[in-house]
């Protein structure tokens, strides 16, 4: 366990002992370049940096900001799946900026969304809040979405677009496989 994770684990223990709830705000306030990990949920959850959260929420907003929450989460899960696969780069920025993959990374939309995130943290506006929530869930290891009242596992899904040959799942205006 690296020193930052140990530090955060210590903060979490202190927060539990003293029944504090501001530890999360402390962790989220870490600078975007910090390697301080933000921990979501319980013991089974994965951790992520403030920078990863910023990039994930921003790319979700660009790709699925006008889609239902399940579509936003599905986009985040696809990105996280790519990060975990040996076929794709192992970092969120590597995945997002991989040549020919995400149009918002090439056309300036992502840069604009990152700027908006830096100013507001996506704390206001329904679409922004949903993108932030979806990013936290995907980065924390969530691998399923609720579609039509049913939970659908997205393990092994690596692609999405308006049209995907061999589509396995459709959510809003996106197809996934």
């Amino acid at each position: 366990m690296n020193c930052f994770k140990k530090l955060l684990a210590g903060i979490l223990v202190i927060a539990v002992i003293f029944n504090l709830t501001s530890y999360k705000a402390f962790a989220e306030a870490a600078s975007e370049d910090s390697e301080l990990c933000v921990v979501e949920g319980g013991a089974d959850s994965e951790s992520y940096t403030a920078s990863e959260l910023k990039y994930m929420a921003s790319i979700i907003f660009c790709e699925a900001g006008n889609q239902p929450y399940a579509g936003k989460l599905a986009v985040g899960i696809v990105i996280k799946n790519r990060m975990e696969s040996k076929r794709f780069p192992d970092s969120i920025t590597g995945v997002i900026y991989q040549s020919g993959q995400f149009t918002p990374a090439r056309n300036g939309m992502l840069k604009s969304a990152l700027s908006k995130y830096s100013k507001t943290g996506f704390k206001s506006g329904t679409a922004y809040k949903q993108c932030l929530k979806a990013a936290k869930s995907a980065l924390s290891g969530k691998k399923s979405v609720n579609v039509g009242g049913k939970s659908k596992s997205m393990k092994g899904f690596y692609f999405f677009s308006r049209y995907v040959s061999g589509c396995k799942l459709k959510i809003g205006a996106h197809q996934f496989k």
Side-chain angles (χ1 to χ4, degrees):
M1 184 181 281
N2 71 37
C3 64
F4 291 109
K5 287 183 181 178
K6 287 180 184 177
L7 173 64
L8 187 57
I11 291 169
L12 291 172
V13 168
I14 292 168
V16 169
I17 291 170
F18 292 103
N19 195 26
L20 300 174
T21 58
S22 62
Y23 73 92
K24 188 172 177 183
F26 165 79
E28 289 180 345
S31 76
E32 70 179 73
D33 296 324
S34 171
E35 288 303 314
L36 179 64
C37 294
V38 177
V39 177
E40 284 292 313
D44 295 335
S45 295
E46 298 178 29
S47 58
Y48 51 86
T49 66
S51 179
E52 288 173 319
L53 179 59
K54 176 181 178 176
Y55 276 88
M56 182 68 86
S58 297
I59 194 66
I60 290 171
F61 178 76
C62 292
E63 292 285 0
N66 64 347
Q67 298 300 302
Y69 177 75
K72 292 174 176 70
L73 177 57
V75 166
I77 291 170
V78 166
I79 293 167
K80 181 72 170 174
N81 287 346
R82 285 183 177 204
M83 290 167 57
E84 295 169 348
S85 171
K86 293 181 185 206
R87 300 183 324 182
F88 298 94
D90 64 357
S91 70
I92 190 163
T93 54
V95 167
I96 292 169
Y97 290 107
Q98 185 178 17
S99 180
Q101 295 303 303
F102 291 89
T103 302
R106 296 188 311 270
N107 68 12
M109 285 180 60
L110 180 59
K111 184 177 180 180
S112 176
L114 289 166
S115 176
K116 175 80 170 177
Y117 184 96
S118 292
K119 291 175 185 170
T120 68
F122 283 11
K123 303 284 187 206
S124 63
T126 302
Y128 291 117
K129 287 179 184 177
Q130 285 184 347
C131 291
L132 184 61
K133 179 181 175 185
K136 288 178 179 181
S137 292
L139 288 169
S140 293
K142 187 164 179 76
K143 294 289 184 190
S144 62
V145 294
N146 290 320
V147 180
K150 295 180 182 179
S151 181
K152 172 69 175 166
S153 173
M154 292 196 66
K155 291 180 182 174
F157 281 64
Y158 298 102
F159 302 96
F160 70 91
S161 188
R162 295 209 182 274
Y163 173 77
V164 176
S165 177
C167 166
K168 297 178 185 176
L169 177 65
K170 184 172 180 358
I171 305 172
H174 285 129
Q175 296 180 357
F176 296 85
K177 82 169 189 178

